[in-house]
């Protein structure tokens, strides 16, 4: 995507409000940029950067009695990488609209191989769980969550948090244009990738085409948002030295936040919610009052505003709804903010009187304000909801709970987990044999110690070794680009990218084709001879690697990285490597070949898997075994890093804290380390 950059930013205490950036191109392709780079004032955001955010983004879809076809259309617009969380307040009973929504979502997930959460806002267990974790302001007198989109949004925030997501975005389900829905999710991702602070918010300014529909409606809507923007800007202006018009999205229903920010804000009931989010940011971090949270004060808060290309067309609900449900609440939250000065208050009162929203001399109604989600006891909430989780999941068996505490399963004894590289470590650097390690490997298996492969090898290659050795533990492929977890391995649920046969895949890297496309230009850029495995036959790969023909074929089946042979003088090789970096790719050297990739690395993958093991076993002790530089990140991520010897009985020059060097080439060293571990 390409958007405008270099737009003005206004600073208010720790808050940076970015002026609206227009989107210039929906898809900027995969072609690598030339050295001259982008034109001034334009920023290109890579597909991989977007994917990276979207994998951590939950899209909350509030729904109340919407047309099912429209609802289905909205689902088709949500990018596959995002987790969908549907919060419904639709009617139940004899005519059960909620059931129908569940069916539509289930069909959609089955066809598209996705998982999602769907919960009714009035779910009895949800109410009980919230009462249990002392988040009662959101509950009505019957102990159920109150009606309202904003209450639905808060449930969405809490569920996204429990899913281990980093961001949450909201998209209404009465949107007629799936392409617009898709675009909002892109904007959220690009907004977070341009924000500097982890406390960030992205707010969307719609572009709409008046000729398309409802000129009357759009005019009125435009007026409502104009009025709210005017008073919020007026309020900011009274606080500073200059007049400002920086806020152009006070009512932005389509918006997203990092969960770190979302959990700190207060929320107004009803449609004043989006305005209140801004007020809450200004109250806490705008510098008008002392900023209590030192971390946020230091990092700041980014409010990024962007303008979309697709038209926004949604269900029309009439003028009364706009004025009474949206304008009055929006102005009310500005009016009742402790920061609002008398001058702004008077203007608001006058405006509402003139519009006959309040009688002359009448009070501006005050909305209920819901405290920050972080005041809820999240651990308790997780515990209380765990039992009912599968009811909210689609498909049921994918119920996932990465951060939910599984306290009951904690054992006192510390569980050991081994992470091991393959080539040159468990497999001999020349013969690829694991024979020397077999006995100790069997003893580890008998002791119930998981053996996690963590290698540059592909999924297909590693499956061969796992089968031969009878290893059924998760494994990390292509240098950390993906983690593969057998479906029934962990007894709790967690987020994953996709299901392949009987495995959950957690993808961290970017797709193979994107890398290949980038690498194509490498030949022209440098003098070194570049050979990619993708362009070699299995026979040729067998020849250069020493692998047998079958294994060479499997080595070519790459999903997230490419093996590259770079030949030339030292200078030529170095220049080729820096070109690879310039193209936005990373590489590691495995001893013979370079693995080119982007996204995941061995360390990141190990850390993620360690978290899952911790949820399963409580405290764990991790051991990492490697032989070369491309194991550094893995070794740095474990409790006990071990380095085996390479050919000539030497250790590679690997620098990691507390590194233990064992004597023995590849599997011999492996075996020694394993026996020591069993003895300890
Ligand atoms: N879960 C839940 N609970 N969802 C609800 C409820 C509720 O009680 N009430 C409404 N919704 C859903 C609707 O089904 C729709 O998907 C979405 O929330 C927005 O409701 P609308 O009634 O369509 O709101 P709007 O179009 O007037 O206003 C929208 O745009 C404004 C301007 O951007 C909303 O997003 C506002 O919040 C926003 O200010
Ligand atoms: Mg609407």
């Amino acid at each position: 995507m390409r958007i405008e950059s270099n737009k003005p930013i206004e600073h208010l205490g720790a808050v940076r409000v970015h002026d609206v950036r227009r989107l210039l191109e929906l898809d900027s392709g995969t072609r690598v940029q030339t050295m001259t780079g982008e034109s001034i004032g334009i920023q290109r955001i890579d597909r991989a950067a977007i994917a990276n955010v979207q994998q951590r983004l939950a899209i909350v879809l509030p729904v109340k009695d919407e047309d099912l076809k429209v609802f289905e259309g909205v689902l088709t617009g949500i990018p596959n990488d995002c987790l969908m969380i549907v919060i419904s307040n639709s009617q139940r009973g004899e005519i059960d609209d909620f059931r129908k929504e569940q069916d539509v979502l289930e069909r959609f997930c089955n066809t598209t191989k996705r998982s999602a959460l769907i919960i009714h806002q009035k779910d009895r267990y949800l109410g009980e769980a919230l009462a249990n974790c002392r988040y009662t302001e959101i509950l009505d007198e019957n102990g159920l969550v109150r009606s309202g989109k904003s209450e639905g949004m808060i449930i969405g925030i809490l569920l996204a948090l429990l899913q281990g997501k980093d961001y949450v975005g909201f998209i209404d389900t009465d949107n007629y244009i799936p392409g617009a829905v898709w675009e909002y999710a892109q904007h959220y991702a690009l907004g977070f990738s341009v924000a500097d602070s982890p406390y960030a918010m992205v707010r969307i300014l719609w572009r709409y085409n008046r000729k398309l529909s409802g000129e009357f409606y759009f005019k009125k809507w435009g007026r409502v948002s104009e009025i709210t923007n005017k008073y919020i800007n007026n309020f900011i202006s009274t606080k500073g030295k200059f007049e400002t018009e920086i806020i152009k999205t006070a009512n932005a229903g389509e918006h997203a936040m990092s969960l770190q920010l979302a959990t700190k804000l207060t929320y107004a009931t009803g449609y004043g919610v989006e305005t209140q989010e801004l007020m809450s940011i200004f109250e806490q971090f705008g510098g008008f009052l002392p900023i209590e949270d030192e971390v946020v004060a230091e990092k700041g808060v980014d409010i990024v505003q962007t303008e979309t290309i697709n038209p926004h067309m949604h269900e029309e609900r009439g003028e009364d709804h706009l004025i009474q449900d949206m304008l009055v609440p929006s102005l009310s939250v500005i009016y009742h903010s402790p920061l609002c000065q008398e001058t702004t208050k008077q203007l608001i009162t006058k405006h509402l009187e003139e519009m006959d929203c309040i009688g002359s001399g009448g009070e501006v109604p005050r909305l209920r304000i819901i405290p920050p989600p972080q005041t809820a006891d999240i651990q308790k909430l997780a515990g209380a909801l765990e039992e009912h989780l599968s009811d909210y999941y689609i498909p049921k068996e994918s119920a996932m709970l990465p951060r939910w505490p599984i306290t009951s399963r904690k054992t006192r004894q510390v569980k050991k987990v081994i992470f091991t590289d393959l080539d040159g470590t468990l497999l001999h650097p020349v013969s690829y044999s694991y024979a020397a390690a077999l006995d100790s490997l069997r003893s580890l298996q008998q002791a119930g110690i998981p053996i996690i492969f963590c290698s540059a090898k592909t999924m297909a290659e590693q499956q061969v070794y796992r089968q031969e050795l009878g290893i059924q533990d998760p494994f990390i492929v292509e240098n950390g680009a993906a983690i593969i977890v057998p479906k029934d391995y962990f007894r709790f649920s967690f987020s994953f990218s996709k299901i392949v046969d009987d495995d959950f895949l957690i993808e961290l890297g970017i797709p193979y084709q994107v890398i290949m496309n980038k690498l194509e230009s490498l030949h022209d850029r440098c003098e070194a001879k570049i050979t990619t495995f993708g362009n070699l036959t299995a026979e040729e790969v067998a020849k250069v690697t020493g692998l047998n023909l079958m294994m060479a074929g499997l080595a070519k089946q790459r999903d997230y990285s490419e093996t590259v042979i770079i030949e030339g003088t030292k200078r030529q090789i170095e220049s080729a490597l820096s070109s690879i970096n310039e193209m936005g790719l990373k590489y590691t050297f495995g001893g013979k070949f370079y693995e080119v990739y982007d996204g995941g690395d061995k360390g990141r993958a190990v850390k993620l898997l360690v978290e899952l093991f911790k949820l399963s076993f409580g405290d764990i002790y991790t051991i990492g075994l490697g032989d070369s530089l491309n194991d550094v990140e893995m070794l740095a991520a474990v409790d006990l890093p071990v380095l085996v010897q390479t050919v000539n009985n030497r250790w590679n020059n690997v620098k990691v804290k507390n590194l233990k060097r064992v004597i023995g080439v590849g599997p011999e060293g492996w075996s020694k380390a394993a026996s020591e571990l069993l003895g300890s």
Side-chain angles (χ1 to χ4, degrees), residues 517-536:
N517 291 347
K518 289 194 180 185
L519 281 176
E520 252 166 35
S521 68
L522 192 58
H523 298 278
D524 310 332
R525 283 169 159 244
C526 57
E527 294 165 14
K529 183 173 173 226
I530 311 290
T531 318
T532 52
F533 270 27
N535 292 330
L536 294 181

Side-chain angles (χ1 to χ4, degrees), residues 107-231:
R107 257 203 321 274
F108 179 72
C109 286
N110 282 340
T111 334
T112 54
K113 303 285 165 251
R114 301 170 64 154
S115 52
L117 264 165
I118 177 164
I119 189 166
H120 198 278
Q121 199 160 327
K122 303 278 177 196
D123 183 274
R124 185 160 55 86
Y125 301 114
L126 176 65
E128 278 172 16
L130 289 164
N132 230 316
C133 71
R134 294 189 301 280
Y135 198 63
T136 46
E137 208 52 37
I138 197 171
L139 301 176
D140 64 15
E141 55 288 355
N142 300 318
L144 301 179
V145 172
R146 290 175 202 281
S147 291
K149 175 189 152 173
S150 71
E151 285 78 357
M153 285 167 55
I154 296 168
I155 304 304
I157 290 171
L158 289 169
L159 291 179
L161 189 69
L162 293 178
Q163 290 308 297
K165 292 290 162 187
D166 294 326
Y167 305 105
V168 63
F170 306 96
I171 296 183
D172 290 348
T173 51
D174 62 340
N175 195 309
Y176 289 114
I177 304 183
V181 169
W182 177 83
E183 191 189 348
Y184 300 145
Q186 305 298 105
H187 279 246
Y188 296 162
L190 77 83
F192 291 124
S193 49
V194 302
D196 287 329
S197 169
Y199 304 95
M201 172 180 261
V202 186
R203 303 176 71 96
I204 288 175
L205 180 65
W206 300 330
R207 172 183 282 212
Y208 44 79
N209 186 338
R210 292 189 176 182
K211 288 214 181 90
L212 278 179
S213 146
E215 182 162 354
F216 161 80
Y217 184 78
F218 280 129
K219 260 199 192 139
K220 292 281 177 195
W221 149 247
R223 188 92 190 104
V224 165
S225 76
E226 226 169 71
I227 298 169
T228 319
N229 289 334
K230 179 172 133 189
Y231 287 112

Side-chain angles (χ1 to χ4, degrees), residues 369-383:
I369 302 288
I370 302 171
Q374 69 177 17
T375 57
D377 185 333
I378 300 293
Q379 298 291 316
K380 270 207 177 139
L381 180 66

Side-chain angles (χ1 to χ4, degrees), residues 66 172 174-175 206 217 271 312 314-317 321:
E66 297 297 350
D172 290 348
D174 62 340
N175 195 309
W206 300 330
Y217 184 78
Y271 294 104
H312 184 94
H314 67 140
E315 197 55 48
E316 297 183 11
R317 302 190 209 275
H321 166 69

Side-chain angles (χ1 to χ4, degrees), residues 24-188:
L24 303 169
E25 188 183 33
L26 277 168
D27 182 349
S28 54
T30 54
R31 251 178 314 141
V32 181
Q33 300 306 301
T34 57
M35 293 299 287
T36 47
E38 287 290 340
S39 324
I40 294 167
I42 297 172
Q43 190 170 355
R44 174 177 185 272
I45 292 129
D46 217 54
R47 281 186 193 164
I50 303 238
N52 182 289
V53 176
Q54 288 184 340
Q55 283 158 12
R56 296 183 285 147
L57 170 67
I59 298 282
V60 171
L61 301 157
V63 56
K64 182 163 190 289
D65 303 324
E66 297 297 350
D67 183 284
L68 280 181
K69 281 265 172 299
V70 178
F71 174 65
E72 195 172 5
V74 169
L75 300 182
T76 59
I78 310 285
N80 194 289
D81 281 333
C82 307
L83 173 72
M84 297 176 290
I85 302 183
V86 178
I87 313 290
S88 173
N89 193 19
S90 298
Q91 78 170 2
R92 296 172 98 170
E94 257 174 50
I95 302 174
D96 194 337
D97 285 339
F98 177 56
R99 179 78 249 159
K100 291 182 201 153
E101 288 155 7
Q102 285 177 311
D103 289 346
V104 168
L105 184 65
E106 188 160 359
R107 257 203 321 274
F108 179 72
C109 286
N110 282 340
T111 334
T112 54
K113 303 285 165 251
R114 301 170 64 154
S115 52
L117 264 165
I118 177 164
I119 189 166
H120 198 278
Q121 199 160 327
K122 303 278 177 196
D123 183 274
R124 185 160 55 86
Y125 301 114
L126 176 65
E128 278 172 16
L130 289 164
N132 230 316
C133 71
R134 294 189 301 280
Y135 198 63
T136 46
E137 208 52 37
I138 197 171
L139 301 176
D140 64 15
E141 55 288 355
N142 300 318
L144 301 179
V145 172
R146 290 175 202 281
S147 291
K149 175 189 152 173
S150 71
E151 285 78 357
M153 285 167 55
I154 296 168
I155 304 304
I157 290 171
L158 289 169
L159 291 179
L161 189 69
L162 293 178
Q163 290 308 297
K165 292 290 162 187
D166 294 326
Y167 305 105
V168 63
F170 306 96
I171 296 183
D172 290 348
T173 51
D174 62 340
N175 195 309
Y176 289 114
I177 304 183
V181 169
W182 177 83
E183 191 189 348
Y184 300 145
Q186 305 298 105
H187 279 246
Y188 296 162

